[in-house]
Amino acid sequence: MRQPLLLSSVFIATAFAASCDRTFLNDFTALYISAQTRGDASLLTTTLLQNFTYTEQFQPANISAPTSILQKPLNITTYRRFFDTDLCTAFTEIIVTDPKHPYVLGVRVEGDGDVVRKMETLVTDEGDWLFNATGTAYYNSLEKWEPIPVIEQLSRTAIQAAGDAYFDRFGNVNVTVPFGTPCARLEGGAYTDAKLTNTSTCHLGLPSTVKLVDRRYVVDVEMGTVNIYVGFPGLDRASKLPAPDSHTFRVEKGKIRYVHTISTCEGHPGCGLNGTYVPLKG
Ligand SMILES: *[C@@H]1O[C@H](CO)[C@@H](O)[C@H](O)[C@H]1NC(C)=O
Ligand SMILES: *[C@@H]1O[C@H](CO)[C@@H](O)[C@H](O)[C@H]1NC(C)=O
Ligand SMILES: *[C@@H]1O[C@H](CO)[C@@H](O)[C@H](O)[C@H]1NC(C)=O
Ligand SMILES: *[C@@H]1O[C@H](CO)[C@@H](O)[C@H](O)[C@H]1NC(C)=O
Ligand SMILES: *[C@@H]1O[C@H](CO)[C@@H](O)[C@H](O)[C@H]1NC(C)=O
Ligand SMILES: *[C@@H]1O[C@H](CO)[C@@H](O)[C@H](O)[C@H]1NC(C)=O
Ligand SMILES: *[C@@H]1O[C@H](CO)[C@@H](O)[C@H](O)[C@H]1NC(C)=O
């Protein structure tokens, strides 16, 4: 952990500013990827606030303990990362197809341009919601998430609004979600456009009585994406608690092109369904 610093006015000024530059977020994410590959959380310590918050599945965890995912070397197959300079947040989606133990991770980081204050990791593997890392890697590989040409970049407000509309629709059937054509949702290893029809396959299975709680954002204007962490009541049929959940939305020309989800089922294989997908009904 970072030593108590020079409490200079410069430090105080930066410590409480939420925004930062892409370089900070990019450098920390690169460091994270090497730490995760080696299974060595100590590589991060100089960039972590001394009292930083670490969670796995939204529960407080010890990043250096043998049970921490960061203490397990992972052979990362592929990853996507997104940076929000206004909030100084980053999100990385990591896929590990290693047959010895496949995983899909979501890693959300909050910093201040100097140190990281919070890291919230979602670790999905066998038994989590529709989990199939091979499927995740396969459908992911067919998708195009290039940076948005500058002339077509949307405001962060517009990008965030598209993701918020999706979640608002979960609690109100009258909300219109700006799904594009084509549109595809990758949920665990399940893909709504498995036949590659390139039509708008996101118009299905949305509930209308579910209130998502505690939304946290990473909006990347250059990538046209918003990642939202939420507590998702009812996703885990075997639990009364909101399931830890991540949704990443890619928004092109104001419309949702892709949705990627990562949802964990705490102690309930398949969130009480064991791989059988029953769309939520309103
Ligand atoms: C960490 O310490 C700072 C400065 O003392 C304080 O403002 C902040 O609330 C603390 N955060 C946590 C998670 O304890
Ligand atoms: C976290 O885990 C490390 C390694 O096992 C241990 O040394 C340390 O005391 C733990 N910290 C807390 C707060 O439990
Ligand atoms: C990592 O995965 C790649 C591709 O599956 C494989 O070729 C390589 O041997 C693996 N490396 C380790 C250290 O397991
Ligand atoms: C799911 O059900 C299948 C068939 O009943 C069983 O073989 C498998 O172990 C179950 N998976 C989990 C994670 O419980
Ligand atoms: C996982 O996805 C792959 C690729 O789509 C598919 O071939 C495989 O059957 C899936 N596995 C399970 C257990 O559904
Ligand atoms: C949705 O719109 C209908 C028709 O205007 C209205 O009757 C209903 O109360 C609305 N539902 C919600 C949740 O706002
Ligand atoms: C959908 O798009 C993919 C990738 O561009 C392409 O390979 C496939 O043929 C398209 N499918 C249809 C039905 O046009």
Side-chain angles (χ1 to χ4, degrees), residues 6-276:
L6 23 125
L7 282 173
S8 67
S9 55
V10 173
F11 174 69
I12 289 166
T14 56
F16 298 99
S19 65
C20 63
D21 60 22
R22 275 183 103 79
T23 307
F24 170 76
L25 297 167
N26 182 61
D27 289 354
F28 183 79
T29 301
L31 191 61
Y32 177 89
I33 293 292
S34 54
Q36 186 61 82
T37 302
R38 287 166 60 172
D40 185 357
S42 74
L43 292 178
L44 302 181
T45 47
T46 55
T47 319
L48 300 175
L49 183 69
Q50 192 173 33
N51 64 349
F52 102 115
T53 302
Y54 180 68
T55 68
E56 288 185 4
Q57 336 303 34
F58 296 2
Q59 298 300 312
N62 180 347
I63 197 170
S64 330
T67 47
S68 161
I69 191 69
L70 257 165
Q71 295 293 83
K72 295 191 178 73
L74 299 184
N75 188 359
I76 294 172
T77 309
T78 184
Y79 62 94
R80 297 188 188 282
R81 65 237 156 101
F82 306 104
F83 306 135
D84 185 333
T85 54
D86 279 31
L87 297 179
C88 199
T89 55
F91 174 75
T92 309
E93 174 196 72
I94 296 172
I95 304 171
V96 177
T97 58
D98 187 343
K100 282 186 293 231
H101 193 149
Y103 288 101
V104 177
L105 311 183
V107 179
R108 184 182 190 281
V109 164
E110 257 179 55
D112 59 18
D114 183 29
V115 289
V116 162
R117 299 191 290 228
K118 188 178 198 181
M119 195 186 309
E120 298 178 279
T121 299
L122 290 173
V123 182
T124 60
D125 58 2
E126 176 72 28
D128 284 310
W129 183 247
L130 300 174
F131 181 79
N132 179 353
T134 317
T136 306
Y138 171 69
Y139 291 115
N140 205 28
S141 73
L142 301 176
E143 297 182 345
K144 291 196 178 66
W145 297 59
E146 309 298 325
I148 305 281
V150 173
I151 190 125
E152 291 177 12
Q153 285 175 8
L154 300 168
S155 70
R156 59 177 291 118
T157 311
I159 296 166
Q160 182 177 321
D164 274 333
Y166 182 92
F167 280 139
D168 290 344
R169 167 64 184 75
F170 279 37
N172 183 344
V173 71
N174 295 335
V175 172
T176 301
V177 187
F179 288 129
T181 305
C183 178
R185 187 174 74 198
L186 178 58
E187 198 178 2
Y191 203 54
T192 58
D193 193 20
K195 293 185 178 148
L196 307 182
T197 62
N198 309 320
T199 56
S200 188
T201 62
C202 294
H203 279 289
L204 39 92
L206 293 189
S208 55
T209 56
V210 175
K211 299 286 184 201
L212 286 307
V213 297
D214 201 12
R215 300 184 196 185
R216 288 95 88 197
Y217 300 92
V218 179
V219 181
D220 188 328
V221 170
E222 293 182 18
M223 293 300 292
T225 59
V226 52
N227 170 268
I228 313 182
Y229 267 32
V230 291
F232 192 151
L235 178 72
D236 187 341
R237 275 68 168 170
S239 171
K240 296 209 187 315
L241 299 174
D245 178 274
S246 161
H247 274 59
T248 306
F249 303 88
R250 160 85 169 189
V251 184
E252 296 176 1
K253 299 180 179 166
K255 304 284 189 185
I256 296 175
R257 174 67 184 92
Y258 300 119
V259 185
H260 283 193
T261 80
I262 300 173
S263 318
T264 71
C265 312
E266 293 319 285
H268 310 122
C271 288
L273 295 177
N274 189 5
T276 321

